[in-house]
Amino acid sequence: MDFALSPEQRALRRSIINFARAELGDGADDDREMRFSLDGWERCARFGVLGWPIPQEFGGVGLDPLSTVIAMEALGYACRDNGLVFVINNHLWACAVYLQQHGNDEQRKRFLPKMCAGELIGAHALTEEHAGSDILSMRTTAVRDGDEYMLTGTKTFISNAGIADVFVLLARTGEPGRRQDALSAFVVPADSPGLEVTRQWTKSGLRSTPMGEVTLTGCRVPADNLLGREGDGYSIFTSTIEWERCFMFANQVGVMERILEDCVRHARRREQFGRPVGANQAVSHRIADMKVRLELAKLMIYKVGWLKQQGKIALAEAAIAKLFISESHVQAALDAMQIHGARGYLAEFGVERELRDALGGTIYGGTSEIQREVIASLAGMPGSGRV
Ligand SMILES: Cc1cc2nc3c(=O)[nH]c(=O)nc-3n(C[C@H](O)[C@H](O)[C@H](O)COP(=O)(O)OP(=O)(O)OC[C@H]3O[C@@H](n4cnc5c(N)ncnc54)[C@H](O)[C@@H]3O)c2cc1C
């Protein structure tokens, strides 16, 4: 077992940190204004970020899974605009990777080169008003009509809706009920007739990522836009969710490292009672706990990257990584707020933004409770085995 990064991986990490520090803003204004940074997006596209996991033949960089984890971690560490990274996460892990893994060659050639170049922004439309954790209860329907499908329903809490050009969308092609083969996955361009973004939500964190509601009123898409076969939607979702749960959270490991460094710097500089606040064990032990969680999070995310590199299934490991990282990230941001005192609480210093940005991670990609369900079920507990 070798825990060392290769010289190429170390160089990759260094180049991403240099790029993000030099070219990407801190996102403070975008957070305040709830504004997506198109400039940051285009810079990331030019640097290759949007094609990291996509093979070169489809316009990507073709990084292997472990190097991709390291790259996402470095981006999270060095880019303070967590909302911009979340736009990229949704584009890559909840849309482009679906197409790469489950699209046919024609679909890949049609969408992936433009997605890697940043000309198309991707999104993932799954959740509905009545179908959050329980996706099998979704009501959006897709009815075959000649060479087309007609989609009807409403998807909500969809990240990137409003800026997205293309959605990977799940809809019901089978009878109502909880059958897994009743769902199908489609690639739906945002300009399809009958598709409308009908609402924008106001989020507490990740505010530079737009989130909206997508209404489909007899929306017509060519039958060629079906991913896999009719009825494959749920199995496509479960096989891709492993990637989402690992790679979408790699950046959070980088954020945790940045938060820890900010806290160490502050605890060494800030003096009260004639000595640095970090000289108190109550503070330094909090730092120690942050460091322990960071190191464990790194091990877990690298392990899932390594498993995917071997082409292995990592359903349990991805759920463990997602659960541990998202909860540790929230805890790191809470610790940072306490260590920074009033400066942690005030908007001017950026620490409270880290907390707001962290909170959603225990909800999207499957809530913490659902991850525990998955882990318990795979550990042999009787239960639902929900994904
Ligand atoms: C920042 C953010 C971005 C998002 N982006 C997207 C996106 O791009 N595309 C998309 O489709 N969706 C997106 N979502 C929606 C997200 O996937 C859902 O919020 C999530 O699946 C949970 O659904 P819900 O909010 O309806 O909660 P519910 O399912 O209603 O759950 C409410 C509470 O009950 C708990 N609960 C539910 N069922 C069980 C159970 N069986 N056992 C134990 N506890 C249970 C949950 O864990 C939760 O605590 C996003 C959400 C957030 C916060």
Side-chain angles (χ1 to χ4, degrees):
M1 202 175 288
D2 184 357
F3 288 98
L5 301 195
S6 69
E8 293 77 24
Q9 287 166 338
R10 280 203 304 276
L12 175 71
R13 182 179 154 80
R14 175 55 38 207
S15 73
I16 294 165
I17 291 172
N18 290 342
F19 154 73
R21 284 184 176 155
E23 295 209 30
L24 303 178
D26 75 356
D29 291 343
D30 293 328
D31 171 70
R32 212 171 299 115
E33 309 285 334
M34 282 181 48
R35 190 178 53 205
F36 160 63
S37 170
L38 180 60
D39 177 61
W41 170 263
E42 288 173 348
R43 286 170 189 269
C44 286
R46 283 196 292 276
F47 189 72
V49 175
L50 309 178
W52 278 343
I54 306 297
Q56 291 178 354
E57 60 176 310
F58 299 115
V61 177
L63 286 185
D64 61 74
L66 195 48
S67 300
T68 306
V69 165
I70 290 159
M72 289 307 302
E73 183 194 351
L75 186 68
Y77 171 73
C79 174
R80 286 189 183 262
D81 185 351
N82 299 321
L84 173 63
V85 180
F86 192 56
V87 169
I88 294 168
N89 268 332
N90 284 288
H91 168 83
L92 281 179
W93 312 114
C95 191
V97 163
Y98 272 80
L99 270 154
Q100 184 213 320
Q101 297 196 342
H102 303 285
N104 57 35
D105 255 14
E106 185 279 321
Q107 290 167 334
R108 290 186 188 127
K109 283 184 188 137
R110 187 152 41 115
F111 293 104
L112 287 177
K114 286 184 178 161
M115 293 181 81
C116 292
E119 291 163 25
L120 294 181
I121 300 181
H124 187 207
L126 183 70
T127 305
E128 300 176 6
E129 173 64 23
H130 302 280
S133 302
D134 181 13
I135 69 156
L136 285 178
S137 66
M138 74 172 51
R139 295 179 185 176
T140 296
T141 54
V143 178
R144 179 99 190 215
D145 180 16
D147 291 341
E148 293 179 322
Y149 279 92
M150 202 172 69
L151 305 170
T152 305
T154 303
K155 298 287 179 181
T156 196
F157 309 145
I158 308 306
S159 301
N160 294 1
I163 56 168
D165 303 287
V166 56
F167 296 88
V168 164
L169 185 145
L170 258 69
R172 177 172 292 285
T173 40
E175 294 299 308
R178 306 192 49 77
R179 289 174 58 106
Q180 297 185 353
D181 61 2
L183 303 186
S184 298
F186 298 88
V187 195
V188 183
D191 60 3
S192 302
L195 184 153
E196 220 185 324
V197 176
T198 35
R199 175 168 191 168
Q200 287 292 335
W201 296 101
T202 306
K203 299 204 298 304
S204 85
L206 300 170
R207 287 162 57 93
S208 53
T209 311
M211 178 193 265
E213 183 180 82
V214 178
T215 301
L216 306 146
T217 317
C219 168
R220 289 186 172 271
V221 291
D224 289 347
N225 285 23
L226 178 70
L227 279 182
R229 286 166 308 175
E230 205 176 283
D232 280 355
Y234 189 77
S235 66
I236 288 176
F237 165 72
T238 49
S239 77
T240 318
I241 197 80
E242 277 180 29
W243 292 81
E244 186 175 332
R245 284 182 185 154
C246 169
F247 294 87
M248 207 185 247
F249 289 82
N251 73 294
Q252 294 194 7
V253 178
V255 176
M256 283 165 64
E257 182 151 14
R258 179 180 76 218
I259 291 176
L260 175 61
E261 287 179 3
D262 288 347
C263 287
V264 169
R265 204 174 306 117
H266 182 77
R268 288 169 65 97
R269 275 196 201 141
R270 171 74 178 161
E271 291 196 1
Q272 289 291 278
F273 303 100
R275 58 184 192 157
V277 292
N280 301 293
Q281 279 190 351
V283 176
S284 65
H285 285 190
R286 192 185 286 275
I287 298 268
D289 288 344
M290 291 171 80
K291 177 73 174 164
V292 169
R293 283 190 293 269
L294 169 63
E295 290 303 318
L296 293 175
K298 271 193 197 195
L299 287 177
M300 203 59 223
I301 204 82
Y302 291 171
K303 180 172 179 188
V304 186
W306 175 82
L307 282 168
K308 295 319 289 175
Q309 188 120 328
Q310 315 293 313
K312 298 215 165 95
I313 292 174
L315 204 50
E317 289 82 358
I320 293 168
K322 197 268 171 187
L323 175 66
F324 186 72
I325 293 168
S326 60
E327 294 197 342
S328 297
H329 182 196
V330 173
Q331 188 55 53
L334 281 168
D335 288 336
M337 185 173 277
Q338 199 63 25
I339 289 170
H340 283 79
R343 290 162 192 78
Y345 185 71
L346 299 174
E348 282 77 356
F349 298 90
V351 180
E352 60 83 43
R353 173 155 65 106
E354 295 284 20
L355 178 58
R356 288 190 284 106
D357 289 346
L359 289 171
T362 61
I363 300 172
Y364 60 77
T367 63
S368 285
E369 291 77 10
I370 294 299
Q371 304 315 307
R372 288 189 168 88
E373 281 278 300
V374 172
I375 296 161
S377 161
L378 292 170
M381 286 294 97
S384 63
R386 291 173 180 89
V387 294

